[in-house]
Amino acid sequence: MHAKHPRESETVMSELMMPQHANIMGNVFGGVVLALVDRVAAVAAIRHAGKPCVTVSVDKVDFREPIHVGELLTAYTRVNFAGRTSMEVGVKIIAENVLTGEKRHTTRAMSRTSRSTPRAARARSPRSCRRRPTRSGGMTGRPSGALRG
């Protein structure tokens, strides 16, 4: 696999904010914005890895200004760092008043993603974590799924 420049994973996604996305004051719910962050970060990570990826965590979210019904949200993202199995993805959200053209930087976030593995491979535990019966009938090793310290 060849190294990729972050430019190759850049992703832009837009969505018009409608009444179902907001509270009675017309302000868009933070969860709607987080869902957009999650979707756009996933696309950037998948483009970079060339394989399925899943969100591990959203490390930081700054809601700088409220977003209102009728505004067009545009999410810009790129991979900031890529390790062997995980990536850090930065997301910037711009809200645009489509009538006036005014744009505001409303949200920024950092997301961590990891390459997804086939279900069967995830279900198996490493050899050192499997419990095996001993000659006396007891069990050795940590139970499958035990926390590693």
Side-chain angles (χ1 to χ4, degrees):
M1 177 181 287
H2 75 285
K4 290 187 178 179
H5 192 277
R7 194 173 30 244
E8 295 178 64
S9 64
E10 284 181 348
T11 302
V12 178
M13 194 179 288
S14 295
E15 189 172 343
L16 184 64
M17 294 295 99
M18 303 295 284
Q20 68 268 22
H21 298 130
N23 61 23
I24 59 171
M25 302 297 290
N27 296 321
V28 173
F29 293 119
V32 172
V33 178
L34 287 174
L36 179 60
V37 165
D38 194 29
R39 286 192 307 269
V40 73
V43 172
I46 291 166
R47 280 182 172 168
H48 190 83
K51 296 185 179 347
C53 293
V54 295
T55 301
V56 173
S57 67
V58 178
D59 295 341
K60 183 173 177 69
V61 180
D62 293 322
F63 296 104
R64 299 169 55 160
E65 294 185 37
I67 299 165
H68 307 287
V69 169
E71 290 185 315
L72 180 69
L73 289 192
T74 304
Y76 299 89
T77 187
R78 71 163 35 180
V79 172
N80 294 333
F81 169 80
R84 194 172 54 84
T85 60
S86 64
M87 289 166 269
E88 178 187 84
V89 181
V91 181
K92 177 169 84 170
I93 306 262
I94 303 294
E96 177 185 353
N97 180 323
V98 292
L99 296 174
T100 66
E102 177 193 356
K103 294 180 181 180
R104 300 175 295 119
H105 180 185
T106 60
T107 311
R108 63 181 170 189
M110 297 299 270
S111 176
R112 293 213 181 265
T113 60
S114 179
R115 282 190 22 213
S116 177
T117 58
R119 189 172 197 83
R122 273 189 308 213
R124 280 188 236 130
S125 57
R127 199 180 288 279
S128 63
C129 292
R130 290 195 198 132
R131 296 183 81 181
R132 296 176 300 280
T134 64
R135 290 183 188 169
S136 64
M139 301 297 266
T140 63
R142 286 182 283 189
S144 181
L147 294 176
R148 295 179 190 157

